[in-house]
Amino acid sequence: MTATVTTDPKVDKSTSRGTSRGTGGARGRLPRVPDRIRRGGLPYLLLLPAVLLELLIHIIPMVIGIVMSFRQLTQFFINNWGAAPWSGLDNYRIAVDIDAPIGEALLHSFFVTCVFTFFSVGLAWLLGTAAAILLQESFRGRGVLRTIFLVPYALPVYAAVITWAFMFQRDNGMINHVLHDQLGITDEPSFWLIGENSLYTLIIVSVWKGWPFAFLMLMAGLQNIPRELYEAASIDGAGIWQQIRRITLPSLRPVNQVLVLVLFLWTFNDFNTPFVLFGKSAPENADLISIHIYQSSFVTWNFGTGSAMSVLLLLFLLIVTAVYLFFTSRGRKGSDV
Amino acid sequence: MRHLRAASAVTLALSIAVAATGCGGGTTSGGSNESPKTLTYWASNQGPSIEADKKILTPELKKFEKETGIEVKLEVVPWADLLNRILAATTSGQGPDVLNIGNTWSASLQATGALLPWDDKNFEAIGGRDRFVDSAVASAGKEGEPPAAVPLYSLAYALYYNKKMFAEAGVEKPPATWDELVATGKRISKDGKWGLGAEGGNLSNNIHQTFVLGQQHGADFFGEDGRATFTSDGAVAAVKQYVDFMAKDKIIAPGNAEYAQNQSLTDFAKGRTAMVLWQAAASTFAAQGMKPEDWGAAPVPVPSGAPGTGKQVNSMVAGINMAVFKNSKNIDGAKKFVKFMTSDAEQKLLNKTYGSIPPVKAAQADAAFGAPDLKVLRDTLATSAAPLPQVPNESQFETAVGTAVKELWADAAAGRPVTEESVKARLEKAQQTMQQ
């Protein structure tokens, strides 16, 4: 096999091209013009569609959003928003002035979102990990269970969340029917969609929606861990918990690194779940930042302030992501050594 | 690396250029008659479903096409999406030619400058302003300015009551004052049955009810200068009175605090609630199996005496208006279409179908609108209804105060005290979120 590789004409060509650079005209070498295209223009040409789409879908709206955040954009100007007067940093001042109601409400929704994200991501990850590890061993019905576990991930978000909204209704919902009527756990039917419980409702639905993704990613990650490691550990007397702690979790680290980041970003920005559960005005306890910004922009028609809030959110997520990547990649390098 | 830097620079420059020029937002052109043969019409969802609306409107649009040769492309837009769709159309300049708007949005949409103003000349093109009921025209835009739309279907609130539940509780006639309503409600509210229904999670409904009570307490929610006055004594008293039906009087079931999908009408139809304050609920009751003789309609109660103007106002002027986008490519055709839809014949037919009242005086006189419940609505519109504040930030008002009332319902439902201070604090917060 080694002999055939060295005589492969393709390899020959590339090698000769590589070594005879600048000597010109040797037999079997690629012509000069295609070579230049390949080196100079072709990669950019191939990248062009992606760059154009990226421009259209992300960059241009983002730049427009940033421009809007510096303008006093209300209903008086949406017909020709280019004419909206510049407001300098006013929108940002309004958004961060925590002594005034708008800034105070934004800060409140920021804290609510932090709590929501912490518990949603944490529980989704925990459930996903547990399920992935449990379903690692082969047993009868494993395929069916794996499929069932992925159902929440496959369902359309709107249909799934609206079903939850029905189930959480106080008087006719299934949750109270079970908790109050059948099990008698609660003294009287609880409110889930308004008041203090609304944050729990939001977390429950979000975890239900998010954990199958963690499960899927971690299941894939588990396939890459050599069985021999477990066998060796088992011979050395390691129990199941030790195996999980010493082998499974460290081996899953690269997967978890990406998984936690993606879950964090999705959850922090989640709009669909609170919007379908609570409508355009969420209860105070579940006033997530995404809904809050939507309300500032599209419900009260203060597009300038809403844009400033979006830019602040973007900056926050960029900083958190950068810090996260900095620390986790440094840790990985350390562990690789 | 050099290439990469160059590519990034081009990308950035291009995006800034596009942002600064091409996407500078909408258009302010004054419309034209470039496409005289077609029109696009966004109808709001009025009937039981979008399909039902298409079925109702399509034959009428064909009639219009036959008369004028103009083809109308219809799209029925659900209420929940309509305002956002209008905003998107306004921003992009890519909207329909003719559209329905909720009349409480009139002043807000008028402020965008995207809608054709209905000045005397434009009103003449559809038969004149005098054809329409005054209160309906007053709810189509800011006072002193040409309206932003033309009234199409008018509605008002009435007190619907369940005759059987009234008889069982020994109540002989519907309450005419709030004191009577509370007394009646208390007689009925027991054994799982409740006196009154509410939609605590529906911001617009919260606004409609508290606005009327505000009028009765002499409060407008906005001052002469258009500034928010949400914390005036009258406004606080109005909101407290409304939430107290649950918190203090206990005639509304706590579960109503989270209602936002017309569940209170279902409760009414199922005999769980004896009264609801609603606009034209007949078709919904019929759809839920009630017979016309099962329920009655009376004017919404007032503090004392009979409904009228001033402190005896007992409804907001509700309804749907028809607007034309200023930049329509068939502006003459659009006006012809508005004329057609507001003609006496179409007004009778469409309002009869939807259970609303025609805002056109001549059509209103038709016998079809003389049924007892519709007569209540008609008289209310004519004598004791007031339009919601026609201010540009009406949309903000609905959200801010509507949400404050929603939170107060949540307090009441959870058994937390609803006091003058707690009401004032919520309204204060709502007022401070109003910008401009």
Side-chain angles (χ1 to χ4, degrees), chain B residues 363-435:
Chain B
Q364 217 175 64
D366 191 87
F369 305 103
D373 57 334
L374 289 180
K375 195 173 171 303
V376 170
L377 299 182
R378 199 176 71 183
D379 292 348
T380 301
L381 269 179
T383 58
S384 57
L388 278 179
Q390 292 293 320
V391 291
N393 44 8
E394 198 279 335
S395 176
Q396 281 163 278
F397 159 62
E398 280 200 27
T399 311
V401 176
T403 303
V405 178
K406 179 180 166 175
E407 295 290 344
L408 287 164
W409 282 122
D411 286 346
R416 283 188 292 271
V418 175
T419 61
E420 221 165 89
E421 289 72 37
S422 73
V423 172
K424 196 164 185 170
R426 295 262 184 209
L427 290 175
E428 176 86 49
K429 207 172 136 196
Q431 178 160 314
Q432 286 174 346
T433 58
M434 299 285 285
Q435 287 186 345

Side-chain angles (χ1 to χ4, degrees), chain A residues 44 75 82 101 170 281 284 299, chain B residues 3 24 258 392 399 406 429 432:
Chain A
Y44 294 107
Q75 62 266 46
R170 179 184 183 266
S281 166
E284 266 178 341
V299 181
Chain B
H3 287 295
E258 67 174 16
T399 311
K406 179 180 166 175
K429 207 172 136 196
Q432 286 174 346

Side-chain angles (χ1 to χ4, degrees), chain A residues 105-125:
Chain A
L106 184 69
L107 186 69
H108 168 81
S109 73
F110 174 75
F111 282 131
V112 169
T113 314
C114 287
V115 174
F116 163 72
T117 308
F118 178 79
F119 283 104
S120 294
V121 173
L123 291 170
W125 178 83

Side-chain angles (χ1 to χ4, degrees), chain A residues 39-40 44 51-52 55 59-60 63-64 67-68 72 74-83 91 94 100-102 104-105 166 168-172 188 190-196 275 278-285 294-295 297-303 305, chain B residues 3-4 7 11-12 14-16 18-19 23-28 83-84 87 90-92 105 108-109 111-114 203-204 253-259 261 263 272 392-396 399-400 403 406-407 409-410 413-414 416 426 429 432-436:
Chain A
R39 294 172 147 275
Y44 294 107
V51 169
L52 281 177
L55 259 178
I59 310 288
I60 293 175
V63 172
I64 292 174
V67 173
M68 278 181 172
Q72 197 188 328
T74 58
Q75 62 266 46
F76 295 102
F77 299 102
I78 58 166
N79 190 30
N80 183 14
W81 67 263
N91 289 324
I94 292 168
I102 293 176
E104 190 195 339
F166 286 134
F168 274 116
Q169 280 185 6
R170 179 184 183 266
D171 292 338
N172 309 309
E188 55 179 85
S190 317
F191 281 103
W192 295 100
L193 298 171
I194 56 171
E196 282 149 10
F275 190 75
F278 307 121
K280 63 183 181 179
S281 166
E284 266 178 341
N285 289 58
Y294 165 80
Q295 206 181 47
S297 301
F298 295 97
V299 181
T300 57
W301 300 22
N302 280 311
F303 300 93
T305 317
Chain B
H3 287 295
L4 190 67
T11 308
L12 191 66
L14 185 63
S15 40
I16 291 172
V18 172
C23 300
T27 163
T28 49
L83 191 56
N84 276 351
L87 285 183
T90 307
T91 315
S92 65
W105 310 334
S108 295
L109 292 173
T112 68
L203 307 191
S204 301
N256 286 210
E258 67 174 16
Y259 283 6
Q261 312 286 338
Q263 294 99 318
R272 290 196 285 255
N393 44 8
E394 198 279 335
S395 176
Q396 281 163 278
T399 311
T403 303
K406 179 180 166 175
E407 295 290 344
W409 282 122
R416 283 188 292 271
R426 295 262 184 209
K429 207 172 136 196
Q432 286 174 346
T433 58
M434 299 285 285
Q435 287 186 345
Q436 290 159 44

Side-chain angles (χ1 to χ4, degrees), chain B residues 24 33 35 137 149 208 255 290 331 346 363 407:
Chain B
N33 287 304
S35 321
V137 180
H208 297 168
M290 284 188 103
I331 206 112
E346 287 303 310
E407 295 290 344

